[in-house]
Every structure is written in structure tokens, then in C-alpha cells.
Amino acid sequence: MALKTLSAKAAAALDRDLMSTGAFSIDQLMELAGLSVSQAVYRVHPVTQGSRVLVAVGPGNNGGDGLVAARHLRHYGFLPTVYYPKRSKNDLYQRLVKQLEDLDVPFVEDFPAALESTDHVVDAIFGFSFSGEVREPFPAVIQAMANTKVPVTSVDAPSSWNIEEGPPKSGTGSSFHPDVLVSLTAPKPLVKFFSGRHFIGGRFVTHAIAKKYDFDVPEYEGIDQVVEVGPEGHKL
């Protein structure tokens, strides 16, 4: 049985449903998404393997998930550093930044330099709503993530990938293959081009919503916010 996936259009509609009939606020969804990302990172890269985590944050919701993940990682004992070149003026993002500043989490301007002294990277630049060209300053950042030997965990989608068609055929991101992918709510069609460790996070989806959008809610264990799945969607 192939893994059921969610198109970009369906993912956007599902988010709207969660925030209308589902009664969730965007703050709640971002908090739960970032928490699940932090748990996946902890699972694949325990603090004992190196505490330095570099989080690359984009301008939208995917970046917000990264900011939340960085906060949780700090509480787990990691030493996160955040690269956030295009800061949102939205109050929600400004509060997430303030929360990190209060935990003495440093923000850096030079991504390639920061990459040289980290143990793990979280790619929270672009999510399921990404399309079109990768704009500055992100082409060099994505290329650096493609070239590094440091393990990379991508949030919902490897940045620059087409949600339906996977990595670009050429140019920025064509050689970017992260080690870990955390699919939020449900996997997107690009997972068929991904060959690393795959987690699903989204322990807030009701069975009614999953039925409406025709995907399966995995069985989360205990207090886990993520489930690792194999290529066919079976639980590992």
C-alpha cells in the first residue's frame, strides 16, 4: 500500500479547516508542528551526538515552525543557533523571536560560517506553499545545505523542492537531499523522491478531517508527537 499524500492545495484547505471548524489558532498549530520537529531531531540526533543545531528559518509559517523547534531544542539541552534573514513583522513571529532571545539563543547572519561549526541543521525555510523561484539570500543557503556533510532535517518539504514533483531538475536545490524529513499533518507527494528517514508529525488531526482529505492518521505512541514511517507508510 502506497503512502497517502496531501497536495499543496489540500494542505492549505486542511489548515483553513483546522483554524475554522477545528477551532485551532495558528499559534497552537505552529507550536504543535515545531514540537514535533524538535522531537524528530532529538530522535535522530541525540544531544550526546553533538549539541549544536543550526536552524535555517524562512519568512513564512515553515520558518515559524523552525523558531518553535529551536526553543524546544534549547530546553532539551541543545545549543541552537538561528539564521533568520527575512524577519516577519507579524506579532506572532516577533514573540517567537523574543522567546528565543530570552533563552540566549544566538541569531547569526552568516549561514555558511555557522554551518562549519554545527552538528545538525534544521531546514525550515520553505514549506508546502512554496512555488516559483528561490529568492535571495536563500539560493546560497540551500546550496550550502546540499553540499554539507552535516545531517539536515527538513520541515515538511526540503526547501526548493516542488511539492508535487520533488527536487528541481537543475539549479538551486537540484542536488539537495536532506537526511531526515518531518511531514506535518500528512506527507506531501514529494515524498516519493525522498530516501532518508521520514517522520510524520501532527498529533492534532481528527479522524473526521483525515477522512475528508483521504489520508491515514498514524498511531502515535505514548507522549510521542512523531511517528517514523517507511517508504510504504508502514510504522517503523
Side-chain angles (χ1 to χ4, degrees):
M1 186 186 81
L3 195 60
K4 289 184 177 176
T5 60
L6 202 58
S7 70
K9 189 176 176 184
L14 189 153
D15 270 4
R16 287 194 294 274
D17 276 356
L18 285 169
M19 287 187 279
S20 55
T21 55
F24 281 94
S25 68
I26 190 167
D27 302 52
Q28 279 181 295
L29 294 175
M30 205 169 277
E31 186 66 30
L32 289 164
L35 177 60
S36 63
V37 170
S38 71
Q39 285 199 357
V41 171
Y42 187 87
R43 190 86 61 87
V44 301
H45 188 101
V47 185
T48 51
Q49 289 183 13
S51 60
R52 302 169 302 176
V53 180
L54 175 58
V55 185
V57 173
N61 288 355
N62 198 255
D65 299 341
L67 294 171
V68 171
R71 168 162 36 82
H72 287 292
L73 289 167
R74 181 74 183 87
H75 286 302
Y76 301 162
F78 288 93
L79 298 171
T81 297
V82 177
Y83 172 76
Y84 188 19
K86 294 205 167 225
R87 298 199 181 193
S88 172
K89 292 187 169 55
N90 183 302
D91 175 64
L92 168 56
Y93 296 90
Q94 292 189 344
R95 284 187 283 114
L96 293 175
V97 167
K98 174 70 164 63
Q99 290 159 13
L100 290 171
E101 289 171 346
D102 287 350
L103 288 168
D104 297 320
V105 171
F107 285 75
V108 294
E109 303 289 329
D110 188 337
F111 184 83
L115 190 56
E116 288 176 14
S117 57
T118 196
D119 303 302
H120 197 94
V121 179
V122 174
D123 159 31
I125 301 175
F126 301 124
F128 71 74
S129 57
F130 171 76
S131 62
E133 293 290 306
V134 177
R135 296 198 178 94
E136 294 297 339
F138 296 113
V141 174
I142 292 167
Q143 197 55 51
M145 291 193 296
N147 295 341
T148 186
K149 297 282 191 286
V150 177
V152 178
T153 293
S154 285
V155 177
D156 214 24
S159 290
S160 79
W161 282 31
N162 181 285
I163 300 308
E164 313 290 332
E165 296 159 16
K169 301 289 183 278
S170 62
T172 301
S174 57
S175 61
F176 178 39
H177 293 277
D179 305 81
V180 183
L181 176 65
V182 185
S183 291
L184 297 171
T185 311
K188 313 307 179 288
L190 57 76
V191 294
K192 62 178 174 283
F193 302 96
F194 175 74
S195 58
R197 293 181 68 178
H198 183 204
F199 292 83
I200 297 175
R203 204 173 180 177
F204 47 79
V205 176
T206 63
H207 286 286
I209 286 255
K211 186 177 177 185
K212 177 178 178 180
Y213 289 94
D214 189 31
F215 66 90
D216 305 307
V217 177
E219 285 184 38
Y220 296 92
E221 283 188 13
I223 57 173
D224 291 351
Q225 298 295 314
V226 287
V227 172
E228 186 167 8
V229 294
E232 298 298 314
H234 58 275
K235 191 170 165 182
L236 295 181

